[in-house]
Amino acid sequence: MEPPIQQPLIQLVALGRNGPFRARNRATVSDVVGTPLAELSLVPSLYVRRSLAALRAANPLPATERTAALARAGRLFADATLGGVSPGEYRDLVSRCSGLPVSVVASAAGIVADAAAEARNTTLQARPSGAVDRWDAPSTRQGQAVWTRRGEVFAVHAAGNHPGVHALWLEALALGYRVAVRPSQREPFTPHRLVTALREAGFGPDRIALLPTDHTVADSIIEGADLALVYGGDEVMRKYRADPTVLPQGPGRSKILLTGEDWRDHMDVVVDSVGAEGGTACVNATAVFAESGTVDTTEVAEETAARLAAIPSLPPGDPKAVLPVLPVAEARAVERHLLRAAEGATAHLGGDGIVDELGDGSAVLRPAVFRLDRADARQTGTELGFPCVWVAPWSAADGIGPLRNTLVLTAFTDDTPLIERLVDEPTISNVHVGDHPTHWMRHGIPHDGYLADFLMRSKTVIRD
């Protein structure tokens, strides 16, 4: 038998001030089976500094041109062949290297395309009602607040767990920032395709750059920018929490509060919140708090486990795939971490492990459901990149303490004072009351606050 023909690797080059750049230092991007897919050029610090200097020296496109260029870029990203890669090939590549179901990738691609078209309108939702966005607006003759950028160059250290994260930073371009994106080596295809689309749509190499680096050079991108958006885990959050020029995006730890005797009527939303997007997003529910005396945590855990157990194990390219896939060694490492974290909890699903090997070197991460006996159990803060949920009791005596530090809280309650406390709580970013899954989002409303809250400020302008 003849050996299979080795396909040439896709070259994911840097996109700097002088156009595409193929660096000598390259990282291999492989799929979850271990097959190499691409080579990602990793640029040195000198290249980063020169690219950032070019971004800083450039003027923004006029606002109307930015809006039109973003809309064109969204269409190109969704429908065009870019860098020799068709939309279908792009979805396949992302699914293969990230292990995300291809249906999730397709949905995320649509979200990114729509976000480009809506970026201008989304930023305007964040503008203070008493401010204008031009210094020469007629109202500034009498004195007026003007909404302005806090800087000129915005850096993004992108995550590789989900393509949808790239929908957010497009707002910086809409506001006139010049943007440098450092892609994740795990999944660089989405940012490479998006930056290519933006350049073809009218944002030149002095307004948008793709700067892949290794970890030794990564910080130089943040240091050379005025402001930065950084994705990562708790370590990243600790590193940048006190830096006013960096907006860290960490684990979501989204939660559900289930109260009332009609709780069974809401189980569709509970399970959807846990399992949608393969459980990989920061808006997936990772803890369900059930009201003591009204809601039986055992019944909640059993029903959730039964529904999640019915999800099939399929490779990520299968149109019916729901669950994420990793190389076997990585999947086993996740499993070990889960089982250590679950010590003391009662397993309803996943207690014997969550790895389902597909026989090709990859494995599906199966759902896990564990029951706890306290609202303040440490496990309620454990977030993993697959459907994994901790079910814990809650009572009014516990207060809102166990519900804090939450990106999204879906609350099934008619207790108006409690709802008011949840909305007022600074560490809860979003509150959904009733049958709205934790992953519900819409363009124009904040995800973790408006990005523009971080990028912009208001100043007074009065002129003759």
Side-chain angles (χ1 to χ4, degrees):
M1 175 183 287
E2 294 184 3
I5 298 174
Q6 181 68 44
Q7 296 294 323
L9 298 182
I10 297 170
Q11 295 300 313
L12 295 176
V13 296
L15 299 172
R17 60 179 186 144
N18 294 321
F21 174 72
R22 185 175 180 181
R24 286 184 293 179
N25 184 19
R26 287 172 232 144
T28 299
V29 181
S30 298
D31 65 13
V32 292
V33 176
T35 303
L37 299 175
E39 284 186 333
L40 178 66
S41 288
L42 303 178
V43 299
S45 58
L46 178 60
Y47 187 93
V48 167
R49 290 197 298 272
R50 289 176 174 173
S51 296
L52 293 177
L55 296 178
R56 189 172 298 284
N59 291 319
L61 285 173
T64 54
E65 292 183 32
R66 296 197 299 267
T67 300
L70 279 162
R72 286 195 299 272
R75 292 192 295 270
L76 289 169
F77 179 82
D79 302 325
T81 295
L82 299 170
V85 177
S86 71
E89 291 168 332
Y90 156 72
R91 292 190 291 270
D92 177 67
L93 287 165
V94 174
S95 179
R96 289 178 63 187
C97 74
S98 68
L100 284 174
V102 70
S103 61
V104 173
V105 176
S107 175
I111 290 171
V112 172
D114 291 344
E118 294 293 329
R120 174 62 177 166
N121 292 333
T122 299
T123 60
L124 290 178
Q125 297 300 314
R127 189 180 73 189
S129 60
V132 295
D133 58 2
R134 290 185 57 88
W135 71 269
D136 56 356
S139 59
T140 59
R141 292 192 182 279
Q142 288 76 46
Q144 181 73 50
V146 178
W147 206 41
T148 63
R149 291 186 297 277
R150 290 180 59 206
E152 300 296 338
V153 178
F154 183 56
V156 181
H157 274 204
N161 65 308
H162 198 290
V165 300
H166 295 283
L168 182 60
W169 59 259
L170 294 168
E171 295 176 23
L173 283 173
L175 292 167
Y177 278 87
R178 279 75 75 207
V179 177
V181 181
R182 177 183 181 261
S184 165
Q185 292 185 32
R186 177 183 176 187
E187 196 281 275
F189 295 102
T190 297
H192 193 279
R193 181 177 179 83
L194 186 53
V195 172
T196 300
L198 288 162
R199 288 192 167 195
E200 291 198 13
F203 289 95
D206 58 349
R207 295 190 174 100
I208 179 71
L210 184 82
L211 303 177
T213 72
D214 61 23
H215 291 292
T216 64
V217 181
D219 281 348
S220 65
I221 298 177
I222 296 176
E223 293 164 0
D226 298 313
L227 300 172
L229 174 68
V230 179
Y231 289 87
D234 289 326
E235 183 178 347
V236 167
M237 297 297 289
R238 287 190 293 269
K239 180 178 179 179
Y240 293 111
R241 183 177 287 119
D243 189 334
T245 68
V246 177
L247 180 63
Q249 299 285 285
R253 297 190 172 94
S254 297
K255 302 176 180 69
I256 291 174
L257 176 62
L258 198 56
T259 74
E261 295 183 357
D262 63 343
W263 64 268
R264 292 176 183 83
D265 297 338
H266 307 303
M267 286 304 297
D268 286 346
V269 173
V270 172
V271 175
D272 184 38
S273 295
V274 174
E277 304 290 319
T280 61
C282 56
V283 289
N284 282 114
T286 55
V288 175
F289 291 88
E291 184 180 30
S292 300
T294 304
V295 185
D296 190 318
T297 56
T298 299
E299 291 185 35
V300 172
E302 287 178 347
E303 183 165 350
T304 303
R307 295 198 193 192
L308 292 174
I311 300 174
S313 292
L314 296 168
D318 191 302
K320 295 180 181 179
V322 174
L323 299 171
V325 176
L326 289 177
V328 169
E330 293 182 30
R332 291 293 179 193
V334 173
E335 181 180 67
R336 289 192 295 272
H337 176 75
L338 168 67
L339 296 179
R340 285 195 300 269
E343 291 180 3
T346 301
H348 289 260
L349 187 64
D352 295 325
I354 45 88
V355 173
D356 191 359
E357 296 189 28
L358 294 173
D360 58 3
S362 68
V364 175
L365 294 179
R366 299 288 309 164
V369 180
F370 290 88
R371 181 166 49 88
L372 306 167
D373 58 8
R374 296 175 55 89
D376 60 355
R378 58 179 174 78
Q379 291 97 332
T380 60
T382 300
E383 177 174 304
L384 298 169
F386 65 100
C388 177
V389 65
W390 310 87
V391 180
W394 177 89
S395 70
D398 293 310
I400 64 171
L403 307 176
R404 291 190 172 110
N405 300 307
T406 301
L407 178 59
V408 184
L409 174 68
T410 288
F412 294 100
T413 179
D414 56 5
D415 184 338
T416 298
L418 173 61
I419 295 170
E420 290 177 347
R421 290 181 66 196
L422 296 175
V423 173
D424 288 341
E425 168 56 41
T427 68
I428 300 175
S429 297
N430 305 285
V431 177
H432 300 174
V433 181
D435 282 306
H436 307 286
T438 54
H439 58 76
W440 181 89
M441 286 184 283
R442 189 182 69 215
H443 294 302
I445 62 173
H447 168 63
D448 189 5
Y450 284 112
L451 179 61
D453 292 339
F454 174 70
L455 296 176
M456 305 293 281
R457 58 166 293 195
S458 296
K459 63 176 67 173
T460 297
V461 173
I462 187 169
R463 63 190 179 92
D464 294 333

